[in-house]
């Protein structure tokens, strides 16, 4: 494989750090850009002494000037707690971040991949979700800063592609979990594991009948790199694990795998919380030859092991 110069925005976050590690391991020259809003230097510290890794403190809402061959645009808080903390900033990060990476890609003729999301489908009326589904998104709710920000980013990607021939890839990521999620991230897998390990109550929002499909991080990163390097597929392409579980099932699995004495408590369901979510991954299978390999139980075991170390329990 030819060595490339690669920019990863949001590289010190959960997914970004795994991506940087894989790309550095493949011998590429990697620039990890992050403003450390939800990311941590600790996530990439094992790469500090590698000659082909560089860290850049920068906010993606401002233009960035680097010479690269590929750009992975991951910069954006992903957990509802964090993206709602400063909703206006979240929209700026998605929209101005997209304009800045697309402008850069246009100038230096780089290929640019957008980390989009299953949230573009909103609270879906089609199940499972195919890429052709336009979604059911509330434009003025508490999740809109993220959902609509990501939808506009997709629009920008396709407009730069049509108008300026920018070489784009758009990936729709479904709920992904694994080591290096922040313990206070607020997303369901990390919340439940941290609560179970500390012996605290497991907080189910609503009655726990809503579903999600959980993808282990290693599978996700393989799908992301495959899409970036696919020659004839622009996307959007769903990348996720079609195994669908209720949130109650997830809570019970985490309790059983940790051997925790925590009890389940029910709290109000946040507004616009999607009732069901499951990717149709036919396109990824056909175009990329990709499908996930790690089942929920195996992935949870690895993630629990990580959190035991991270929390020093
Ligand atoms: P994360 O919060 O761990 O990582 C996001 C990173 O972006 C962090 O390091 C954060 O500091 C950085 N960042 C935020 N705003 C920035 C800004 N203005 N300038 C520079 N850096 C900024 O989340 P993650 O799970 O690693 O998600 C990475 C990307 O994947 C996000 O774009 C997210 O929307 C997308 N995604 C993730 C999931 C998932 O389940 N993990 C699902 C769908 C989409
Ligand atoms: N959730 C929950 N308890 C928690 C955190 C989340 O029951 O402590 C629920 C949340 O309401 C949603 C699902 O788990 O129905 C997934 O939430 P997450 O924030 O991980 O992702 P998203 O809603 O963006 O898919």
């Amino acid at each position: 494989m030819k060595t490339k110069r690669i920019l990863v925005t949001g590289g010190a976050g959960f997914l970004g750090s795994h991506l940087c590690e894989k790309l550095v391991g493949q011998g590429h020259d990697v620039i990890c850009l992050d403003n450390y809003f939800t990311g941590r230097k600790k996530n990439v510290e094992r790469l500090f002494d590698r000659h082909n890794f560089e860290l850049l403190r920068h906010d993606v809402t401002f233009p960035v000037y680097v010479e690269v061959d590929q750009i992975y645009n991951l910069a954006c808080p992903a957990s509802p707690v964090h993206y709602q903390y400063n909703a206006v900033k979240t929209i700026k990060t998605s929209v101005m971040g997209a304009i800045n990476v697309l402008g850069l890609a246009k100038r230096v003729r780089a290929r640019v991949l957008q980390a989009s999301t299953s949230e573009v489908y909103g609270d879906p009326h089609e199940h499972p979700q195919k890429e052709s589904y336009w979604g059911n998104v509330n434009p003025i709710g508490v999740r809109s800063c993220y959902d609509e920000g990501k939808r506009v980013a997709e629009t920008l990607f396709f407009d730069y592609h049509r108008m300026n021939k920018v070489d784009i890839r758009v990936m729709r990521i479904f709920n992904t979990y694994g080591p290096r999620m922040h313990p206070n991230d607020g997303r369901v897998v990390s919340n439940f594991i941290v609560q179970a390990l500390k012996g605290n109550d497991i907080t189910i929002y609503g009655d726990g009948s809503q579903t999600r499909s959980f993808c282990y991080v290693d599978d996700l990163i393989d799908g992301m790199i495959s899409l970036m390097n696919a020659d004839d597929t622009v996307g959007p392409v769903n990348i996720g694990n079609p195994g669908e579980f209720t949130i109650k099932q997830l809570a019970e699995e985490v309790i059983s795998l940790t051997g925790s004495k925590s009890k389940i408590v029910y709290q109000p369901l946040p507004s616009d919380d999607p009732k069901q979510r499951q990717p149709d991954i036919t396109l990824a299978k056909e175009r990329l030859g990709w499908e996930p390999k790690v089942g929920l139980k195996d992935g949870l075991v690895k993630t629990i092991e990580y959190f035991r170390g991270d929390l020093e329990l």
Side-chain angles (χ1 to χ4, degrees):
M1 191 194 310
K2 195 174 161 287
T3 302
K4 294 193 168 63
R5 298 162 302 174
I6 303 178
L7 172 67
V8 178
T9 77
F14 161 49
L15 295 182
S17 64
H18 286 272
L19 177 64
C20 287
E21 197 170 315
K22 184 103 187 198
L23 295 172
V24 166
Q26 290 176 341
H28 299 295
D29 260 319
V30 175
I31 302 172
C32 165
L33 176 158
D34 211 293
N35 71 348
Y36 306 117
F37 174 48
T38 50
R40 301 181 285 182
K41 278 192 198 163
K42 189 179 156 195
N43 286 340
V44 284
E45 68 186 355
R46 78 202 66 198
L47 301 175
F48 286 175
D49 60 355
R50 301 290 291 264
H51 67 89
N52 53 339
F53 180 76
E54 239 177 294
L55 202 51
L56 186 61
R57 181 191 287 266
H58 185 81
D59 190 310
V60 83
T61 59
F62 296 97
V64 53
Y65 299 94
V66 286
E67 296 290 325
V68 287
D69 307 301
Q70 293 186 338
I71 305 164
Y72 289 86
N73 187 37
L74 274 62
C76 186
S79 149
V81 177
H82 294 292
Y83 71 62
Q84 287 168 26
Y85 171 76
N86 184 343
V88 173
K89 174 72 189 196
T90 299
I91 301 173
K92 284 186 183 169
T93 296
S94 270
V95 176
M96 294 164 70
I99 291 171
N100 288 329
V101 295
L102 285 160
L104 174 65
K106 182 179 161 190
R107 265 194 315 278
V108 302
R109 294 180 205 280
R111 180 174 288 179
V112 57
L113 179 145
Q114 168 67 358
S116 190
T117 167
S118 52
E119 292 287 327
V120 300
Y121 302 123
D123 191 5
H125 290 155
E126 182 179 302
H127 193 73
Q129 293 79 52
K130 284 197 193 72
E131 292 84 349
S132 53
Y133 179 51
W134 288 356
N136 174 40
V137 176
N138 176 358
I140 57 167
V142 291
R143 295 174 80 101
S144 313
C145 59
Y146 183 74
D147 301 9
E148 297 289 20
K150 289 283 187 178
R151 285 169 68 97
V152 173
E154 285 201 10
T155 308
L156 283 162
F157 267 68
F158 278 87
D159 283 334
Y160 268 79
H161 180 59
R162 279 186 290 260
M163 293 178 62
N164 302 110
K165 306 214 165 5
V166 173
D167 190 9
I168 62 159
R169 298 289 180 273
V170 175
M171 166 181 191
R172 291 186 179 152
I173 303 172
F174 284 65
N175 297 62
T176 302
Y177 69 98
R180 293 196 214 128
M181 292 185 93
H182 197 289
N184 300 328
D185 179 86
R187 280 178 280 188
V188 68
V189 175
S190 45
N191 267 13
F192 285 2
I193 293 178
V194 171
Q195 289 163 345
L197 291 177
K198 289 185 166 173
N200 297 339
D201 291 345
I202 308 273
T203 53
I204 290 187
Y205 304 156
D207 63 5
S209 64
Q210 70 272 35
T211 68
R212 293 294 186 273
S213 303
F214 299 102
C215 187
Y216 187 65
V217 61
D218 291 356
D219 283 335
L220 193 283
I221 298 300
D222 285 346
M224 189 182 278
I225 294 175
S226 300
L227 176 59
M228 174 62 105
N229 294 299
D231 279 331
D232 53 358
T233 303
V234 164
V237 178
N238 289 339
I239 301 285
N241 191 320
E244 186 185 11
F245 299 87
T246 66
I247 296 305
K248 182 140 189 276
Q249 284 174 320
L250 177 72
E252 286 164 354
E253 187 73 304
V254 168
I255 289 173
S256 139
L257 292 174
T258 51
S260 172
K261 297 207 163 38
S262 293
K263 62 178 196 321
I264 291 176
V265 297
Y266 292 88
Q267 295 186 353
L269 189 67
S271 67
D272 294 337
D273 199 284
K275 284 183 256 330
Q276 53 180 1
R277 191 181 285 154
Q278 184 189 32
D280 180 319
I281 59 163
T282 310
L283 196 63
K285 280 188 192 160
E286 283 173 6
R287 297 291 182 85
L288 312 176
W290 176 88
E291 62 182 315
K293 298 188 180 77
V294 183
L296 182 62
K297 193 170 176 181
D298 290 346
L300 285 177
V301 168
K302 293 179 207 232
T303 312
I304 290 165
E305 204 175 286
Y306 164 79
F307 274 111
R308 276 194 210 280
D310 196 48
L311 300 170
E312 295 173 359
L313 292 169

